[in-house]
Amino acid sequence: MAKKEVQTDLWVHDLLKEAGIELDAQGSSIKEIDEALKTASKRGTGKVGFPEYVGVVKDFILVIEDKAKLENHVKYDSNKLISLETKDVTDFAVNGALFYAKHLIQNTTYKKVYAFGISGNAKNHRMTPLFIDDRENLFDKLEDVESFISFNEKNIDEYYLRDVLNESSDKEKELEEILADAKILHEHLRNYGNMKDEEKPLVVSGILLALRERDNGNFSIDSLNADNFVTDGQKIYNAIESSFKRTDLSPVTKIDKILSQFAIIKDSTKLNEKNATLGETPLKFFAKFLDEKLYKSIKFTRSAEDYLGRFYGEFMRYSGGSGQTLGIVLTPRHITELFCDLLDLKTTDRIFDPCCGTGGFLVAALHAMLSKSESDAEKQHIRKNQLFGIEIRPDMFTVATTNMILRGDGKSNLHCDDFLIKNPKQLQTDFRATVGMLNPPYSQGTKKDPSLYEIAFTEHLLDSLLPNSRCAVIVPQSSMTGKSKEEQQIKESILKKHTLEGTIMLQKDTFYGIGVIPCIAVFTAGVPHDKEKVCKFVNFEDDGFKVAPHIGLLETESAKDKKQHLLDVWFDRIDAPTKFCVKTTITAEDEWLHSFYYFNDEIPTDKDFEKTVGDYLTFEFSMIMQGRKYLFEQNADSDVKKNFKCELNSREWREFFISGEDGVFKIEATSSGIDKNKLNSEIGEVPYITRSDISNGLNLFVSDNQKEGFEKDSGNCITIGLDTQTVFYQPHEFYTGQNIQVLNYENCKKENALFVTKLIQLQMGKFNWGGNGATLGRLSRTKVLLPITSNGEIDYDFMEEYIKEVEEQKLEEYREFATKRLNECKTNSQSVEQLEEKEWKPFEISEIFKKFEQGKSKGLNHLDENNGTLPYLGATNRNNGILTFIKDAKTMKQKGNCIGFIRNGQGSVGYAIYKTEEFISTSDNTFAYADWLNKFTGLFVVSSQDLIRSKYSFGYKRNNERLKKDNILLPVDSEDMPDYAYMESYIKNLMTRKYLEYLAFKKKVEYKLNPNYGALKVATP
């Protein structure tokens, strides 16, 4: 074991210990495995070889190989398979793990092996699992994990079933059956009961309570005989009343209030009459169904699943609406259980939920505490005396009470009341609650009634708990931003009395079908917030749950692993990168969300800067080709050279606030900010910069003649788009569109500015369009990593030299590229006529192309963009039509060497592009093929056809019929046919001039073209 791997080994050991897995280090206590490892040398010598850890869980071998550096994680061969070359097996974690797994399969009787390649450290790491069976089949598409929780004795079989074999687990099958039964029951209630939506859960609850009384001899399904004197409903109602008395439910007024909600069971004629189709009353039919399908599940299941709540949700979903008409958002089971873990419930805790709905939080807390209790007396005390709830709606209060009774709550300390009018001090005295849980009503607060804001419910709950109590609430993320003055004041009030521990951002489908993006906020009640208190802000959007059609949100096997990672970070057992958790002090004015505090704390890579410089050179090249070299001449290259080679990891890095009082840069609103509709768009020399992410933000060139009050911004600065989060270096003075910020600093030069641009771009991921843009206030609270000198100063010299080196590398790549293109552009023509010397004639597009194909994609949603290499074309002529790159999708891929005609799209309809490469395209493009087509003739035809694009608009699209009838002018030969040879020669000579012009600008290359655009003469000074 190399010394540098020691820290990684220790961290991995701690993860194994936490998951309850015992493996051996550097050998095995299992004789068969130990014997096999004696010939497992990774160098192929046939001598001993030991992985970091190896052992057995059930009938699975687990083998682990780790490396200290992330770059030593995995190596693939030319076929994109995990390499088993000796050097790769030795140097890379995944490769070494696979080697040992195969060796153990071959040399032991075990038939199933999990191999783990792990690299990095506790904060920044990758943990990749592989599975190998006895036939040496490799399953290498398993998701990376954050812990070993899925591989302990309790979970390993389920992981194997779901992730390796892709089969449903027993738990999933049970849930699917329950949801299917819920749908069926809804249809029965509708068809045979003719009930309103809000009545359905009450009928279900009442029958369940009656079924519970069978054990006490007070009810029997067989007694339901459609008697007109003592109806079936009256018998069920009597059993409900008996159940409440047996539960010692008090006071009497509470029993009366609940029983009044169940009156529909005995009063409804429809429910109590014998149905001709059923041959019995609907109530008896429902009771038989529930007894078989649901009651037994509740009676014998020990999970915290809120079955009544799930049934309630399914009833609403199948009623033709979203369920919001009843004004309640049911909290999913995985969230109620997460609350219990985050609040670290003790058996002595007293739990209070002031908006308890169907009782989901209380059910979860009940089971969490019972699982930790050791005596029957303690369990009985928890059931009777430690769970408290308030619900304002009588129907939901009844459902919640029933739910708690069915779960074994011996007293059900629930109250039907308005929480907000209760005196918090009185609630402290009455409940003496040490834990608060809350999912308040959403979107009811207004400036006229701020008491209904979600944050107001939160404050009222905190005020109702004993000092030092723990509290968690789930609310819309907007509640944490203080979006109104009233909500901001409540946030200030909370911090004066209570402590914010942190918030956890959840995924958008947490409340599936509701359309709200929630977060969890955790507090300590009764302790004023210390301004030096460090809070945690977590991004838990990737929680391991996915939406399944016709079912809703489903847990995947990775959910356990991701939850364990969250809890490890929350309780400071491990560190995490800032993309997952930011730790910081706060103010009431801050937005209490991860997205607000997030900054990228990972040192950027060479690849990051290569893209930035490459994009800039593309922009620079484009401008020079359009005759706008003046933009860059004032920032000519410096001749100063340093005598060291720049490496990113050769410098120490430190975090700084980007702007504000403690910031290192000055950011101000633009001096112009001219709306394009008010712009004098007369063509001129001044760039007009917008929030676009294309062409360095450059939209067009305008004149100096703009309206009074609009000033140009000086060049040599950085622009930041407010909503689009675009960041670009601007070399020349400019005007801007709206919502542009301008960043300046004293040492700004092109090279170090490009470096700073990339570092700020890395922080922009926390912002987004639609209310969470890169405002001045948010930027002032955003941090950035910068390299520093030995004196702790920002190292602008290093940035400058580093970018120069990258730029020189890019230029060398361009020189090599240009040389190849120049050779490609050589022509045998002794003379190329000027355009005006040629004869031109119109041709219908259908005459010159032999085949037309429409783009085959309906959108990007069904395509995989992750590390893709195949161009995806949109309805745009920008960037030669390329929107992004996707993974291969053979059924939609189209051949290159064609011209794409844009049929639709604001601003681009009517234009065309030439494509040499294979691609996938939106159906808004039509592609034409012909034998004469190549890059040069294609570009010529594109240029000619673009002259007619003005006839098309967003309201007048270029359909295939219109396209084929379009006429374009082309030069002709002596036979009045398109002169494709001339077109090719013309474009070749034009491209030659452009390539050399750019090289001349960058490196003072002198070049000459003979008068007939023939041979080149190139010389360097």
Side-chain angles (χ1 to χ4, degrees):
M1 183 197 310
K3 289 184 178 178
K4 60 185 178 181
E5 255 81 63
V6 170
Q7 290 301 316
T8 302
D9 291 343
L10 293 174
W11 161 61
V12 172
H13 175 267
D14 289 342
L15 288 179
L16 290 168
K17 183 178 179 181
E18 186 176 30
I21 299 173
E22 292 186 13
L23 301 184
D24 297 317
Q26 298 290 304
S28 177
S29 57
I30 299 171
K31 184 177 180 181
E32 183 182 8
I33 294 176
D34 197 55
E35 287 294 323
L37 291 175
K38 288 180 179 179
T39 57
S41 169
K42 289 187 291 185
R43 300 189 183 278
T45 63
K47 296 183 179 180
V48 68
F50 291 128
E52 265 66 54
Y53 296 97
V54 67
V56 174
V57 175
K58 290 193 169 181
D59 57 341
F60 298 86
I61 291 180
L62 272 58
V63 59
I64 299 172
E65 185 74 355
D66 63 48
K67 297 294 177 184
K69 294 183 177 180
L70 280 168
E71 53 262 40
N72 293 113
H73 187 69
V74 64
K75 178 75 175 291
Y76 295 98
D77 61 20
S78 58
N79 296 316
K80 298 185 179 180
L81 301 174
I82 299 170
S83 171
L84 288 175
E85 293 293 325
T86 299
K87 188 175 189 312
D88 299 332
V89 165
T90 303
D91 293 348
F92 293 89
V94 174
N95 305 65
L98 177 58
F99 170 84
Y100 281 124
K102 283 180 169 289
H103 187 85
L104 290 169
I105 280 288
Q106 294 165 359
N107 294 277
T108 69
T109 58
Y110 288 91
K111 297 181 178 181
K112 295 181 286 188
V113 177
Y114 283 113
F116 298 86
I118 301 175
S119 61
N121 53 43
K123 185 174 182 180
N124 293 298
H125 55 263
R126 285 191 65 188
M127 299 172 60
T128 300
L130 309 171
F131 179 81
I132 301 92
D133 65 16
D134 56 334
R135 295 185 179 180
E136 296 190 45
N137 293 314
L138 172 62
F139 297 77
D140 59 350
K141 303 301 182 186
L142 304 176
E143 285 189 21
D144 281 8
V145 297
E146 291 288 349
S147 74
F148 293 107
I149 194 72
S150 295
F151 304 93
N152 61 20
E153 197 162 313
K154 179 182 177 182
N155 298 318
I156 196 166
D157 286 328
E158 185 176 1
Y159 183 92
Y160 175 68
L161 197 65
R162 291 172 60 169
D163 283 55
V164 177
L165 301 183
N166 288 317
E167 295 180 4
S168 297
S169 67
D170 291 341
K171 184 188 295 185
E172 284 180 312
K173 291 175 181 176
E174 181 186 72
L175 179 56
E176 289 174 9
E177 289 171 3
I178 288 174
L179 297 182
D181 291 340
K183 178 183 178 182
I184 293 170
L185 180 59
H186 165 79
E187 292 170 352
H188 290 335
L189 290 165
R190 179 191 62 205
N191 294 337
Y192 304 123
N194 196 25
M195 287 176 290
K196 298 177 182 177
D197 285 343
E198 61 268 26
E199 294 171 337
K200 295 171 185 174
L202 293 171
V203 171
V204 171
S205 301
I207 294 174
L208 290 172
L209 285 171
L211 290 171
R212 182 174 178 264
E213 279 299 293
R214 289 180 301 181
D215 294 340
N216 302 304
N218 294 324
F219 180 73
S220 165
I221 292 178
D222 292 338
S223 70
L224 304 179
N225 55 11
D227 190 337
N228 291 326
F229 182 69
V230 182
T231 65
D232 289 356
Q234 186 65 56
K235 293 170 185 175
I236 292 174
Y237 185 87
N238 293 341
I240 295 170
E241 186 173 19
S242 175
S243 176
F244 287 153
K245 291 178 179 178
R246 189 175 304 283
T247 308
D248 192 26
L249 199 62
S250 60
V252 173
T253 53
K254 179 177 180 179
I255 297 177
D256 292 342
K257 181 175 287 190
I258 295 173
L259 284 173
S260 69
Q261 293 294 310
F262 288 121
I264 182 179
I265 294 176
K266 62 183 178 66
D267 294 342
S268 169
T269 302
K270 184 84 171 176
L271 292 176
N272 285 278
E273 285 180 340
K274 181 181 288 189
N275 182 280
T277 302
L278 299 174
E280 57 193 359
T281 65
L283 284 175
K284 182 172 184 178
F285 177 73
F286 299 154
K288 288 162 62 177
F289 183 93
L290 285 168
D291 183 41
E292 180 63 30
K293 301 292 187 180
L294 182 60
Y295 179 78
K296 293 176 181 177
S297 293
I298 291 179
K299 186 173 182 180
F300 299 110
T301 298
R302 303 314 304 164
S303 79
E305 176 71 81
D306 182 2
Y307 284 98
L308 286 178
R310 291 304 296 266
F311 261 81
Y312 181 86
E314 288 305 304
F315 291 154
M316 298 310 106
R317 189 159 70 85
Y318 287 113
S319 67
S322 66
Q324 299 180 64
T325 54
L326 293 174
I328 186 168
V329 178
L330 299 170
T331 312
R333 172 182 59 88
H334 71 282
I335 297 298
T336 62
E337 291 179 341
L338 179 59
F339 267 47
C340 298
D341 292 325
L342 289 170
L343 297 173
D344 191 21
L345 296 190
K346 309 291 192 298
T347 57
T348 55
D349 278 322
R350 298 168 67 86
I351 317 299
F352 176 37
D353 179 355
C355 302
C356 65
T358 62
F361 279 128
L362 297 176
V363 168
L366 171 66
H367 286 293
M369 292 194 292
L370 291 179
S371 68
K372 297 178 181 180
S373 60
E374 297 181 354
S375 69
D376 291 341
E378 188 177 41
K379 290 178 180 180
Q380 188 67 6
H381 192 273
I382 290 170
R383 289 190 177 99
K384 284 193 170 186
N385 303 306
Q386 294 177 225
L387 301 166
F388 304 90
I390 293 177
E391 173 54 46
I392 192 171
R393 290 180 45 175
D395 55 343
M396 286 299 96
F397 165 68
T398 301
V399 172
T401 301
T402 304
N403 199 8
M404 294 303 296
I405 291 172
L406 292 169
R407 301 300 181 141
D409 175 356
K411 188 176 180 183
S412 189
N413 296 293
L414 304 184
H415 301 265
C416 188
D417 214 333
D418 184 350
F419 166 60
L420 290 179
I421 67 172
K422 304 293 287 185
N423 185 312
K425 295 299 180 185
Q426 186 62 50
L427 291 175
Q428 276 189 11
T429 301
D430 291 346
F431 297 155
R432 293 179 290 114
T434 58
V435 170
M437 299 180 177
L438 172 67
N439 178 9
Y442 290 177
S443 304
Q444 294 190 9
T446 63
K447 291 183 179 181
K448 291 183 178 180
D449 190 359
S451 68
L452 296 179
Y453 282 126
E454 297 91 346
I455 194 72
F457 274 89
T458 301
E459 182 182 29
H460 201 63
L461 172 57
L462 288 167
D463 292 344
S464 303
L465 301 174
L466 294 177
N468 285 301
S469 294
R470 294 102 65 209
C471 178
V473 302
I474 182 167
V475 293
Q477 290 182 14
S478 58
S479 299
M480 296 291 104
T481 65
K483 58 185 182 296
S484 69
K485 184 178 79 171
E486 292 76 15
E487 289 170 289
Q488 184 61 47
Q489 290 171 346
I490 295 171
K491 287 175 64 181
E492 293 171 1
S493 175
I494 285 175
L495 294 188
K496 290 177 182 178
K497 300 174 289 181
H498 314 289
T499 294
L500 175 66
E501 298 296 336
T503 69
I504 300 168
M505 291 170 54
L506 303 174
Q507 67 148 300
K508 62 182 179 62
D509 289 317
T510 298
F511 293 117
Y512 176 62
I514 301 299
V516 65
I517 305 177
C519 67
I520 296 172
V522 182
F523 298 88
T524 297
V527 179
H529 192 97
D530 189 325
K531 66 179 181 179
E532 300 301 322
K533 163 76 176 178
V534 175
C535 303
K536 296 185 183 76
F537 297 92
V538 175
N539 183 346
F540 196 50
E541 293 170 322
D542 182 12
D543 61 0
F545 283 79
K546 66 180 181 181
V547 173
H550 311 300
I551 294 178
L553 206 60
L554 270 187
E555 177 183 356
T556 68
E557 183 52 39
S558 66
K560 293 186 181 72
D561 174 70
K562 294 177 187 298
K563 177 182 176 181
Q564 185 62 50
H565 180 63
L566 167 65
L567 296 174
D568 288 342
V569 172
W570 187 260
F571 290 109
D572 293 315
R573 294 192 281 263
I574 61 173
D575 287 327
T578 54
K579 63 185 177 184
F580 185 78
C581 177
V582 178
K583 299 178 181 180
T584 183
T585 57
I586 67 160
T587 67
E589 292 74 27
D590 292 349
E591 297 171 17
W592 296 343
L593 295 169
H594 176 272
S595 57
F596 180 81
Y597 299 104
Y598 168 72
F599 76 100
N600 192 323
D601 64 346
E602 297 178 13
I603 294 176
T605 64
D606 292 321
K607 190 175 181 180
D608 290 326
F609 290 104
E610 286 175 10
K611 183 181 185 305
T612 300
V613 174
D615 288 346
Y616 184 79
L617 289 179
T618 301
F619 162 68
E620 192 176 67
F621 176 78
S622 175
M623 294 298 100
I624 293 167
M625 295 302 101
Q626 295 176 43
R628 299 187 184 276
K629 188 189 304 182
Y630 66 90
L631 291 177
F632 312 101
E633 290 176 333
Q634 66 190 46
N635 286 300
D637 293 338
S638 170
D639 293 326
V640 177
K641 301 290 181 184
K642 295 287 192 301
N643 56 6
F644 63 89
K645 180 172 176 60
C646 301
E647 293 184 2
L648 294 173
N649 59 8
S650 69
R651 286 294 184 275
E652 184 179 349
W653 296 67
R654 202 173 82 202
E655 59 190 60
F656 299 84
F657 282 107
I658 292 179
S659 64
E661 186 177 337
D662 301 318
V664 293
F665 305 123
K666 181 181 179 181
I667 301 181
E668 298 177 311
T670 175
S671 300
S672 51
I674 311 172
D675 186 280
K676 196 171 183 179
N677 294 326
K678 300 177 181 178
L679 184 71
N680 176 4
S681 55
E682 172 187 339
I683 296 176
E685 301 287 319
V686 184
Y688 176 68
I689 305 299
T690 67
R691 291 167 285 168
S692 168
D693 61 351
I694 300 173
S695 298
N696 217 58
L698 175 61
N699 187 270
L700 71 163
F701 286 89
V702 298
S703 73
D704 274 320
N705 186 25
Q706 299 299 327
K707 290 182 179 179
E708 186 175 347
F710 293 123
E711 302 295 331
K712 286 182 289 189
D713 286 282
S714 300
N716 192 37
C717 65
I718 294 171
T719 54
I720 302 175
L722 169 64
D723 298 309
T724 54
Q725 292 68 248
T726 50
V727 187
F728 294 116
Y729 170 68
Q730 304 297 343
H732 191 274
E733 61 182 4
F734 56 91
Y735 288 113
T736 78
Q738 294 182 320
N739 297 324
I740 297 287
Q741 320 284 6
V742 179
L743 182 150
N744 287 285
Y745 57 99
E746 185 176 349
N747 298 292
C748 186
K749 294 181 182 179
K750 182 190 81 173
E751 287 81 8
N752 65 44
L754 289 175
F755 197 104
V756 170
T757 293
K758 170 47 66 176
L759 297 178
I760 294 176
Q761 284 174 348
L762 292 174
Q763 307 306 329
M764 291 296 104
K766 64 187 276 184
F767 302 116
N768 55 57
W769 185 280
N772 187 35
T775 62
L776 291 173
R778 290 174 180 140
L779 287 171
S780 70
R781 291 287 293 171
T782 298
K783 294 179 180 178
V784 63
L785 275 181
L786 296 171
I788 58 175
T789 65
S790 57
N791 296 327
E793 301 292 328
I794 298 173
D795 198 343
Y796 291 107
D797 288 341
F798 169 78
M799 299 185 205
E800 183 176 347
E801 291 307 312
Y802 180 88
I803 292 297
K804 284 182 178 179
E805 289 183 7
V806 176
E807 186 176 31
E808 181 56 33
Q809 177 187 337
K810 287 291 180 184
L811 286 172
E812 186 58 38
E813 292 174 6
Y814 180 76
R815 291 188 200 102
E816 181 180 350
F817 168 83
T819 300
K820 292 178 181 178
R821 297 290 80 79
L822 288 169
N823 289 330
E824 182 181 79
C825 289
K826 287 180 180 178
T827 176
N828 295 323
S829 301
Q830 294 301 310
S831 177
V832 179
E833 295 174 86
Q834 299 295 318
L835 294 173
E836 62 271 18
E837 296 174 354
K838 289 290 292 182
E839 185 178 355
W840 295 67
K841 288 190 176 181
F843 294 87
E844 273 193 7
I845 286 179
S846 60
E847 289 182 71
I848 59 176
F849 292 95
K850 60 190 299 185
K851 185 174 73 169
F852 295 84
E853 285 184 1
Q854 192 168 337
K856 300 178 180 180
S857 172
K858 299 299 183 182
L860 275 168
N861 293 339
H862 57 289
L863 299 173
D864 185 0
E865 296 182 65
N866 188 30
N867 296 320
T869 57
L870 186 66
Y872 182 90
L873 308 186
T876 177
N877 64 330
R878 291 192 174 190
N879 204 30
N880 207 35
I882 298 175
L883 292 182
T884 186
F885 291 86
I886 61 174
K887 290 189 175 177
D888 204 345
K890 294 180 180 178
T891 58
M892 288 184 284
K893 187 161 65 176
Q894 293 174 267
K895 292 181 179 179
N897 192 33
C898 61
I899 291 177
F901 296 92
I902 301 170
R903 307 169 65 240
N904 192 7
Q906 184 71 41
S908 294
V909 61
Y911 279 114
I913 53 176
Y914 171 78
K915 299 306 297 179
T916 185
E917 75 278 13
E918 291 182 323
F919 57 84
I920 289 177
S921 171
T922 171
S923 57
D924 286 329
N925 294 325
T926 297
F927 299 91
Y929 296 82
D931 293 335
W932 51 264
L933 259 178
N934 58 40
K935 177 169 66 176
F936 308 103
T937 56
L939 289 173
F940 194 104
V941 170
V942 163
S943 300
S944 184
Q945 91 84 40
D946 278 355
L947 297 176
I948 65 169
R949 64 87 41 192
S950 58
K951 66 185 282 188
Y952 293 107
S953 67
F954 187 74
Y956 183 71
K957 306 183 190 307
R958 196 179 203 178
N959 60 37
N960 286 340
E961 291 72 28
R962 291 169 181 163
L963 167 65
K964 292 176 181 179
K965 291 180 181 296
D966 275 339
N967 280 273
I968 58 174
L969 278 176
L970 294 174
V972 294
D973 57 21
S974 58
E975 297 180 359
D976 283 342
M977 297 300 291
D979 193 343
Y980 296 117
Y982 170 80
M983 299 181 207
E984 181 171 339
S985 295
Y986 180 88
I987 293 294
K988 282 183 175 179
N989 280 278
L990 178 60
M991 291 181 75
T992 296
R993 292 205 311 273
K994 291 295 186 182
Y995 284 132
L996 290 174
E997 185 179 350
Y998 186 72
L999 289 175
F1001 171 75
K1002 295 305 294 184
K1003 287 298 177 184
K1004 310 298 187 294
V1005 176
E1006 295 180 353
Y1007 69 95
K1008 295 180 181 178
L1009 289 167
N1010 67 14
N1012 64 7
Y1013 298 96
L1016 300 170
K1017 293 183 179 179
V1018 183
T1020 55

